[in-house]
């Protein structure tokens, strides 16, 4: 290992002034080479780099301007939308109030109509009940009359003989004759 270190030390020897030779100090030569390369790059690349930066700056400014214009347009649209929303909300409130009023009015009309219909149905029911009562009374009267007539006919047939029959007919003819004379 010592040989390698010694050989590097020998190579790092600086020749005396006025003579031409190779500089074997890698760190020192790399810094010089690097500074030369950077100087050349800065000198020649300065224009290209400034053009690239200017183009980039212009694109950024254009993007910012476009963004501002879009932002202003969006703000205008937002204000218009808010105005439309307020108008629609006002109309919706008006419709809601009118709708509730209309619903209440319709509800009252419906209640009144139902009450009127119920009254009519109650009247029809009462009339129907009275009619059915009258009909039932009439049927009962008819049956009672029929049964009375059948009973009377049965009684008459059982107790009526020819002589009684002739006397009844004569009495009835006499009554009709008396009625006829009164009318005249």
């Amino acid at each position: 290992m010592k040989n390698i270190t010694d050989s590097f030390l020998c190579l790092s020897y600086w020749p005396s002034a006025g003579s031409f030779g190779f500089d074997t100090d890698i760190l020192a030569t790399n810094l010089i080479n690097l500074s030369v390369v950077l100087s050349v790059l800065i000198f020649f690349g300065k224009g290209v780099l400034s053009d690239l930066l200017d183009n980039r700056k212009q694109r950024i400014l254009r993007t910012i301007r476009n963004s501002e214009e879009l932002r202003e347009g969006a703000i205008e649209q937002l204000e218009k939308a808010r105005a439309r929303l307020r108008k629609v909300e006002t109309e919706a409130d008006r419709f809601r109030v009118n709708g509730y009023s209309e619903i209440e009015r319709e509800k009252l009309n419906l209640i009144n109509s139902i009450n009127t219909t119920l009254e009519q149905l109650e009247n029809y029911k009462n009339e129907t009940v009275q009619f059915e009562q009258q009909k039932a009374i009439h049927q009962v009267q008819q049956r009672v009359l029929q049964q009375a007539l059948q009973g009377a006919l049965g009684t008459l047939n059982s107790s009526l003989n020819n002589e009684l029959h002739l006397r009844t007919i004569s009495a009835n003819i006499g009554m009709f004759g008396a009625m006829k004379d009164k009318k005249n």
Side-chain angles (χ1 to χ4, degrees):
M1 261 324 239
K2 198 167 187 170
N3 288 340
I4 295 174
T5 311
D6 289 341
S7 65
F8 275 115
L9 288 176
C10 265
L11 290 176
S12 65
Y13 170 75
W14 284 76
S16 63
S19 67
F20 182 75
F22 288 107
D23 186 7
T24 56
D25 186 8
I26 295 175
L27 292 177
T29 56
N30 277 342
L31 287 177
I32 293 170
N33 289 338
L34 187 59
S35 62
V36 170
V37 168
L38 284 177
S39 300
V40 169
L41 281 176
I42 289 173
F43 181 75
F44 290 110
K46 184 168 119 181
V48 172
L49 186 61
S50 68
D51 286 344
L52 287 173
L53 290 175
D54 285 340
N55 287 341
R56 178 72 179 148
K57 181 181 174 183
Q58 293 303 323
R59 278 194 309 233
I60 290 171
L61 290 175
R62 230 182 353 258
T63 303
I64 290 172
R65 274 193 302 268
N66 289 342
S67 297
E68 286 294 322
E69 289 172 2
L70 290 174
R71 181 180 161 270
E72 289 172 7
I75 289 173
E76 282 181 29
Q77 288 179 351
L78 179 62
E79 288 301 319
K80 287 179 183 177
R82 283 182 180 162
R84 277 186 275 152
L85 178 63
R86 283 190 295 271
K87 182 179 176 184
V88 167
E89 285 176 343
T90 304
E91 287 183 26
D93 288 341
R94 185 173 52 86
F95 284 137
R96 191 175 303 119
V97 168
N98 289 341
Y100 288 143
S101 299
E102 184 68 26
I103 288 170
E104 287 298 318
R105 201 170 26 253
E106 288 295 322
K107 184 173 115 180
L108 289 175
N109 288 341
L110 184 61
I111 290 170
N112 291 336
S113 173
I114 289 172
N115 285 337
T116 304
T117 304
L118 286 175
E119 287 174 9
Q120 288 175 349
L121 288 174
E122 186 69 27
N123 291 338
Y124 292 149
K125 180 189 80 162
N126 291 337
E127 288 174 7
T128 303
V129 166
Q130 287 176 353
F131 176 74
E132 290 296 325
Q133 284 176 346
Q134 291 295 327
K135 186 177 171 183
I137 289 170
H138 183 65
Q139 286 176 351
V140 168
Q141 287 174 345
Q142 289 284 336
R143 282 194 173 199
V144 168
L145 185 61
Q146 274 182 341
Q147 288 175 353
L149 283 176
Q150 285 176 351
L153 282 175
T155 304
L156 281 176
N157 284 336
S158 65
S159 63
L160 190 61
N161 54 26
N162 281 339
E163 181 184 325
L164 186 58
H165 189 68
L166 287 174
R167 265 193 295 163
T168 304
I169 291 174
S170 297
N172 283 336
I173 291 175
M175 280 191 319
F176 283 130
M179 283 175 48
K180 190 175 180 188
D181 288 339
K182 279 186 180 179
K183 281 188 181 181
N184 290 337

